[in-house]
Amino acid sequence: MIKRKLSGNGEIKTDRSILDSWKEISTYLDRSEKTCRKWEKELKLPVHRLEDSPKARVFAYKDEIDIWINIKLKNRDKIDRARKKKKILQKPEIIMIILVLVLLILLHLFLF
């Protein structure tokens, strides 16, 4: 969470809560360190490094992670709704079964 304070000269100072290791980041997200590293690579988890090396020490801001989570949850909800809509509109197994039954009934009526 970002906390804003006015300094003596009227400027806004921002205090940001920092998670300064994979262990703290994974604890905050209630996931394993391995999962958090995977999320950084695949889902762009907002993690910062002190140097430009993959092995460099990491840190993250809680407020950035909270925003990232909210964005991912909204995107997941949109994807879930789209999948449900697609499933409702396209059920090929049921359509094929109905067509086969109709054809069998018509065939039976014409042959007998």
mmCIF file of all heavy atoms in Angstrom, residues 25-43:
data_model
loop_
_atom_site.group_PDB
_atom_site.id
_atom_site.type_symbol
_atom_site.label_atom_id
_atom_site.label_comp_id
_atom_site.label_asym_id
_atom_site.label_seq_id
_atom_site.Cartn_x
_atom_site.Cartn_y
_atom_site.Cartn_z
ATOM 1 N N ILE A 25 8.351 -12.464 -1.274
ATOM 2 C CA ILE A 25 7.370 -12.348 -2.365
ATOM 3 C C ILE A 25 6.457 -13.571 -2.370
ATOM 4 O O ILE A 25 5.229 -13.443 -2.458
ATOM 5 C CB ILE A 25 8.092 -12.187 -3.725
ATOM 6 C CG1 ILE A 25 8.841 -10.850 -3.769
ATOM 7 C CG2 ILE A 25 7.100 -12.291 -4.879
ATOM 8 C CD1 ILE A 25 9.830 -10.736 -4.914
ATOM 9 N N SER A 26 7.048 -14.758 -2.244
ATOM 10 C CA SER A 26 6.234 -15.980 -2.272
ATOM 11 C C SER A 26 5.333 -16.079 -1.046
ATOM 12 O O SER A 26 4.193 -16.538 -1.148
ATOM 13 C CB SER A 26 7.130 -17.220 -2.387
ATOM 14 O OG SER A 26 7.936 -17.366 -1.249
ATOM 15 N N THR A 27 5.809 -15.620 0.100
ATOM 16 C CA THR A 27 4.978 -15.613 1.308
ATOM 17 C C THR A 27 3.810 -14.655 1.133
ATOM 18 O O THR A 27 2.666 -14.978 1.480
ATOM 19 C CB THR A 27 5.813 -15.210 2.543
ATOM 20 O OG1 THR A 27 6.864 -16.166 2.706
ATOM 21 C CG2 THR A 27 4.963 -15.179 3.794
ATOM 22 N N TYR A 28 4.073 -13.483 0.576
ATOM 23 C CA TYR A 28 3.021 -12.495 0.353
ATOM 24 C C TYR A 28 1.941 -13.032 -0.591
ATOM 25 O O TYR A 28 0.746 -12.817 -0.391
ATOM 26 C CB TYR A 28 3.632 -11.205 -0.211
ATOM 27 C CG TYR A 28 2.645 -10.080 -0.369
ATOM 28 C CD1 TYR A 28 2.161 -9.407 0.741
ATOM 29 C CD2 TYR A 28 2.206 -9.678 -1.631
ATOM 30 C CE1 TYR A 28 1.253 -8.362 0.612
ATOM 31 C CE2 TYR A 28 1.309 -8.636 -1.767
ATOM 32 C CZ TYR A 28 0.825 -7.986 -0.646
ATOM 33 O OH TYR A 28 -0.075 -6.949 -0.781
ATOM 34 N N LEU A 29 2.375 -13.770 -1.619
ATOM 35 C CA LEU A 29 1.429 -14.336 -2.594
ATOM 36 C C LEU A 29 0.889 -15.697 -2.174
ATOM 37 O O LEU A 29 0.018 -16.249 -2.851
ATOM 38 C CB LEU A 29 2.105 -14.457 -3.960
ATOM 39 C CG LEU A 29 2.413 -13.136 -4.655
ATOM 40 C CD1 LEU A 29 3.301 -13.366 -5.865
ATOM 41 C CD2 LEU A 29 1.124 -12.445 -5.057
ATOM 42 N N ASP A 30 1.421 -16.250 -1.102
ATOM 43 C CA ASP A 30 1.026 -17.570 -0.616
ATOM 44 C C ASP A 30 1.237 -18.642 -1.684
ATOM 45 O O ASP A 30 0.376 -19.483 -1.926
ATOM 46 C CB ASP A 30 -0.420 -17.555 -0.113
ATOM 47 C CG ASP A 30 -0.758 -18.778 0.729
ATOM 48 O OD1 ASP A 30 0.173 -19.358 1.326
ATOM 49 O OD2 ASP A 30 -1.941 -19.158 0.782
ATOM 50 N N ARG A 31 2.384 -18.567 -2.335
ATOM 51 C CA ARG A 31 2.785 -19.524 -3.365
ATOM 52 C C ARG A 31 4.239 -19.902 -3.131
ATOM 53 O O ARG A 31 4.953 -19.250 -2.380
ATOM 54 C CB ARG A 31 2.635 -18.924 -4.775
ATOM 55 C CG ARG A 31 1.211 -18.548 -5.173
ATOM 56 C CD ARG A 31 0.347 -19.799 -5.295
ATOM 57 N NE ARG A 31 -0.983 -19.517 -5.775
ATOM 58 C CZ ARG A 31 -2.042 -19.309 -5.006
ATOM 59 N NH1 ARG A 31 -1.910 -19.303 -3.703
ATOM 60 N NH2 ARG A 31 -3.228 -19.103 -5.526
ATOM 61 N N SER A 32 4.706 -20.909 -3.826
ATOM 62 C CA SER A 32 6.112 -21.312 -3.695
ATOM 63 C C SER A 32 7.006 -20.317 -4.440
ATOM 64 O O SER A 32 6.545 -19.590 -5.330
ATOM 65 C CB SER A 32 6.319 -22.715 -4.260
ATOM 66 O OG SER A 32 6.216 -22.690 -5.669
ATOM 67 N N GLU A 33 8.282 -20.321 -4.071
ATOM 68 C CA GLU A 33 9.235 -19.462 -4.774
ATOM 69 C C GLU A 33 9.309 -19.849 -6.254
ATOM 70 O O GLU A 33 9.402 -18.984 -7.125
ATOM 71 C CB GLU A 33 10.616 -19.556 -4.125
ATOM 72 C CG GLU A 33 10.690 -18.900 -2.770
ATOM 73 C CD GLU A 33 12.066 -18.956 -2.150
ATOM 74 O OE1 GLU A 33 13.069 -18.847 -2.894
ATOM 75 O OE2 GLU A 33 12.147 -19.117 -0.921
ATOM 76 N N LYS A 34 9.255 -21.144 -6.514
ATOM 77 C CA LYS A 34 9.318 -21.633 -7.901
ATOM 78 C C LYS A 34 8.152 -21.079 -8.722
ATOM 79 O O LYS A 34 8.319 -20.635 -9.857
ATOM 80 C CB LYS A 34 9.306 -23.162 -7.907
ATOM 81 C CG LYS A 34 9.452 -23.784 -9.265
ATOM 82 C CD LYS A 34 9.490 -25.302 -9.170
ATOM 83 C CE LYS A 34 9.592 -25.924 -10.548
ATOM 84 N NZ LYS A 34 9.613 -27.391 -10.462
ATOM 85 N N THR A 35 6.958 -21.086 -8.133
ATOM 86 C CA THR A 35 5.782 -20.560 -8.824
ATOM 87 C C THR A 35 5.947 -19.068 -9.093
ATOM 88 O O THR A 35 5.642 -18.589 -10.189
ATOM 89 C CB THR A 35 4.508 -20.822 -8.000
ATOM 90 O OG1 THR A 35 4.316 -22.226 -7.888
ATOM 91 C CG2 THR A 35 3.289 -20.186 -8.629
ATOM 92 N N CYS A 36 6.457 -18.341 -8.121
ATOM 93 C CA CYS A 36 6.640 -16.900 -8.294
ATOM 94 C C CYS A 36 7.661 -16.591 -9.392
ATOM 95 O O CYS A 36 7.465 -15.681 -10.190
ATOM 96 C CB CYS A 36 7.057 -16.247 -6.979
ATOM 97 S SG CYS A 36 5.748 -16.295 -5.741
ATOM 98 N N ARG A 37 8.728 -17.378 -9.454
ATOM 99 C CA ARG A 37 9.721 -17.196 -10.515
ATOM 100 C C ARG A 37 9.092 -17.481 -11.885
ATOM 101 O O ARG A 37 9.345 -16.778 -12.862
ATOM 102 C CB ARG A 37 10.917 -18.115 -10.299
ATOM 103 C CG ARG A 37 11.775 -17.729 -9.120
ATOM 104 C CD ARG A 37 12.856 -18.789 -8.891
ATOM 105 N NE ARG A 37 13.463 -18.669 -7.593
ATOM 106 C CZ ARG A 37 14.588 -17.997 -7.348
ATOM 107 N NH1 ARG A 37 15.205 -17.394 -8.327
ATOM 108 N NH2 ARG A 37 15.077 -17.946 -6.126
ATOM 109 N N LYS A 38 8.264 -18.510 -11.925
ATOM 110 C CA LYS A 38 7.575 -18.859 -13.175
ATOM 111 C C LYS A 38 6.627 -17.731 -13.576
ATOM 112 O O LYS A 38 6.552 -17.351 -14.746
ATOM 113 C CB LYS A 38 6.808 -20.172 -12.984
ATOM 114 C CG LYS A 38 6.087 -20.655 -14.203
ATOM 115 C CD LYS A 38 5.400 -21.977 -13.925
ATOM 116 C CE LYS A 38 4.618 -22.430 -15.137
ATOM 117 N NZ LYS A 38 3.882 -23.666 -14.876
ATOM 118 N N TRP A 39 5.893 -17.188 -12.599
ATOM 119 C CA TRP A 39 4.975 -16.088 -12.882
ATOM 120 C C TRP A 39 5.732 -14.862 -13.383
ATOM 121 O O TRP A 39 5.231 -14.133 -14.227
ATOM 122 C CB TRP A 39 4.165 -15.735 -11.640
ATOM 123 C CG TRP A 39 3.089 -16.720 -11.313
ATOM 124 C CD1 TRP A 39 2.730 -17.823 -12.019
ATOM 125 C CD2 TRP A 39 2.215 -16.675 -10.184
ATOM 126 N NE1 TRP A 39 1.690 -18.474 -11.399
ATOM 127 C CE2 TRP A 39 1.357 -17.795 -10.273
ATOM 128 C CE3 TRP A 39 2.088 -15.820 -9.110
ATOM 129 C CZ2 TRP A 39 0.380 -18.057 -9.322
ATOM 130 C CZ3 TRP A 39 1.120 -16.077 -8.159
ATOM 131 C CH2 TRP A 39 0.269 -17.179 -8.269
ATOM 132 N N GLU A 40 6.931 -14.641 -12.869
ATOM 133 C CA GLU A 40 7.720 -13.497 -13.350
ATOM 134 C C GLU A 40 8.022 -13.666 -14.832
ATOM 135 O O GLU A 40 7.877 -12.736 -15.617
ATOM 136 C CB GLU A 40 9.023 -13.371 -12.565
ATOM 137 C CG GLU A 40 9.865 -12.205 -13.050
ATOM 138 C CD GLU A 40 11.330 -12.312 -12.717
ATOM 139 O OE1 GLU A 40 11.792 -13.404 -12.320
ATOM 140 O OE2 GLU A 40 12.024 -11.299 -12.879
ATOM 141 N N LYS A 41 8.442 -14.862 -15.220
ATOM 142 C CA LYS A 41 8.800 -15.120 -16.617
ATOM 143 C C LYS A 41 7.588 -15.163 -17.529
ATOM 144 O O LYS A 41 7.578 -14.559 -18.598
ATOM 145 C CB LYS A 41 9.559 -16.442 -16.734
ATOM 146 C CG LYS A 41 10.944 -16.394 -16.168
ATOM 147 C CD LYS A 41 11.613 -17.748 -16.302
ATOM 148 C CE LYS A 41 12.980 -17.715 -15.629
ATOM 149 N NZ LYS A 41 13.617 -19.032 -15.622
ATOM 150 N N GLU A 42 6.558 -15.882 -17.116
ATOM 151 C CA GLU A 42 5.430 -16.151 -18.010
ATOM 152 C C GLU A 42 4.297 -15.136 -17.906
ATOM 153 O O GLU A 42 3.619 -14.879 -18.900
ATOM 154 C CB GLU A 42 4.879 -17.555 -17.735
ATOM 155 C CG GLU A 42 5.884 -18.645 -18.056
ATOM 156 C CD GLU A 42 5.370 -20.034 -17.733
ATOM 157 O OE1 GLU A 42 4.174 -20.180 -17.393
ATOM 158 O OE2 GLU A 42 6.172 -20.987 -17.819
ATOM 159 N N LEU A 43 4.074 -14.604 -16.728
ATOM 160 C CA LEU A 43 2.922 -13.711 -16.522
ATOM 161 C C LEU A 43 3.329 -12.292 -16.146
ATOM 162 O O LEU A 43 2.480 -11.487 -15.782
ATOM 163 C CB LEU A 43 2.006 -14.292 -15.436
ATOM 164 C CG LEU A 43 1.454 -15.683 -15.708
ATOM 165 C CD1 LEU A 43 0.679 -16.189 -14.499
ATOM 166 C CD2 LEU A 43 0.581 -15.683 -16.944
#
